Amino acid sequence: MRAFEYVRTSEVGDALAASERAGAAYLAGGTTQVDLMKDGVLAPDRLVDITRLPLRGVLGTGHSLHVGALTTMEELAADPLVTHRLPVVREALLLGASVQLRNMATIGGNLLQRTRCRYFRDPAVAACNKRAPGSGCAAVAGPARMHAILGVSERCIALHASDLAVALVALDAVVHLESARGTRTVPLTEFYLEAGTTPSSETVLAHGELITEVEIPLLPETMRSGYLKVRDRVSYEFALVSVAAALEIEDGVVSKARIGLGGVGSKPWRALAAEEVLRGAPATEASYREAADAAVTGAWTVPGTAFKVELAERALVRQLQTVSEMSR
């Protein structure tokens, strides 16, 4: 690991000022960032420790949940409002990491976790447009079981890894951002960027900008939700495919639908086409299969990821059926 300057502060304004310098980065739970620094993937010359900032806690306001960015995954999963009104969030949190990691990892950090792409995380691999723009993508021609099929191209097929982000995208959550230049609020559906022509840019977050809060709209009492994670082993593992689904069903007809897909996108994927198919459709397996087909339209695969198209369709149908059963 390369030498770096370490700065710790308990004031938001001081942290924002300290991070303005080129080469500076924030440090919260450190569950991803420290690993990447040890591996030589990241090399900030100043780390601004923000763990003492007053950005921790969960507050319900009747219509939404306000979550401080330094709240841990475990703390959010244990919140009573999350249990009763946002089960899809609770399940995504509990399936997203081990207990040890959930007690360290923060909500803001979870949303910013980097891809698990093995080529990105190995500096010995020269061809990685995400790490070294213009160098190519070794994953396209190599083993790629844990890579994406939506929002990707021959330039980059790296996968977004956060389970929590998949649920929050489906729920229309927003992030509150602050920097030395001011504050702004960004919907999570607009926060993440597809690989496109610049895979090295993953979010709209500017240098020195800090996530201070995540605001999550509460689901209506009439909606049922849940999170399905398909993975190679039951214990701690990243998703091959995951589904965050929330449905409201009235007299056998889907009146509201929200769907997020994980394990398949260069960003947490909001399946808007599938939602459109479901709204006003009978709550039947035939409708769910039609929605699943729409969800993976435009998938771009390589031999290692081709299996994910059918796996995503099957997972989505299964989860929609599971949530439908909750509505009876």
Side-chain angles (χ1 to χ4, degrees):
M1 185 183 293
R2 203 176 70 175
F4 57 88
E5 180 186 5
Y6 174 78
V7 178
R8 184 164 64 182
T9 176
S10 58
E11 299 292 336
V12 173
D14 292 343
L16 297 178
S19 69
E20 281 291 290
R21 192 175 80 180
Y26 293 114
L27 175 67
T31 53
T32 294
Q33 186 172 15
V34 173
D35 284 347
L36 292 174
M37 291 174 66
K38 288 179 178 176
D39 291 340
V41 178
L42 299 179
D45 58 21
R46 171 185 282 182
L47 272 187
V48 181
D49 185 336
I50 59 173
T51 54
R52 294 187 177 182
L53 300 186
L55 300 175
R56 192 166 181 165
V58 182
L59 177 65
T61 60
H63 301 288
S64 60
L65 204 63
H66 296 257
V67 183
L70 294 179
T71 305
T72 67
M73 294 173 67
E74 190 68 11
E75 288 169 338
L76 182 58
D79 186 86
L81 264 178
V82 173
T83 299
H84 296 299
R85 297 289 298 277
L86 299 168
V88 64
V89 172
R90 175 178 167 80
E91 292 169 13
L93 286 164
L94 296 181
L95 291 172
S98 65
V99 174
Q100 293 91 337
L101 284 171
R102 294 200 302 268
N103 276 299
M104 282 295 296
T106 65
I107 298 305
N110 182 284
L111 297 182
L112 294 175
Q113 67 177 283
R114 306 299 299 274
T115 178
R116 303 303 300 182
C117 175
R118 58 190 293 186
Y119 307 98
F120 169 77
R121 288 176 173 256
D122 184 357
V125 176
C128 176
N129 285 324
K130 187 176 286 296
R131 176 167 33 80
S135 62
C137 178
V140 170
R145 180 173 173 78
M146 297 299 290
H147 286 73
I149 61 174
L150 295 169
V152 297
S153 69
E154 70 279 0
R155 294 182 178 86
C156 181
I157 59 172
L159 182 71
H160 181 86
S162 169
D163 291 286
L164 174 63
V166 174
L168 296 188
V169 163
L171 297 177
D172 288 326
V174 302
V175 286
H176 296 269
L177 309 177
E178 187 169 349
S179 71
R181 298 168 296 283
T183 62
R184 61 175 175 150
T185 300
V186 180
L188 271 184
T189 50
E190 300 173 14
F191 182 73
Y192 296 102
L193 304 174
E194 294 184 17
T197 57
T198 56
S200 59
S201 298
E202 298 176 347
T203 71
V204 301
L205 200 67
H207 178 74
E209 203 165 30
L210 179 67
I211 297 177
T212 56
E213 181 183 294
V214 181
E215 184 176 347
I216 312 170
L218 296 175
L219 286 171
E221 297 276 8
T222 51
M223 289 192 84
R224 299 293 179 265
S225 71
Y227 190 76
L228 171 66
K229 184 173 183 177
V230 181
R231 47 189 171 175
D232 281 330
R233 59 184 184 188
V234 175
S235 60
Y236 173 49
E237 179 59 285
F238 291 88
L240 290 172
V241 167
S242 66
V243 180
L247 294 177
E248 182 178 82
I249 298 174
E250 299 179 79
D251 299 325
V253 174
V254 178
S255 55
K256 296 177 183 174
R258 295 179 182 178
I259 300 170
L261 296 178
V264 293
S266 61
K267 65 177 187 176
W269 201 259
R270 179 73 180 268
L272 294 173
E275 294 177 8
E276 182 63 30
V277 168
L278 289 174
R279 276 192 287 270
T284 62
E285 181 175 339
S287 298
Y288 299 158
R289 290 189 180 280
E290 185 180 351
D293 182 61
V296 295
T297 298
W300 193 90
T301 66
V302 296
T305 61
F307 75 99
K308 286 196 170 185
V309 174
E310 182 176 355
L311 184 61
E313 291 178 319
R314 287 174 175 263
L316 179 51
V317 171
R318 174 180 158 185
Q319 186 60 5
L320 291 173
Q321 290 174 318
T322 299
V323 176
S324 294
E325 289 295 322
M326 300 176 190
S327 303
R328 294 181 178 177

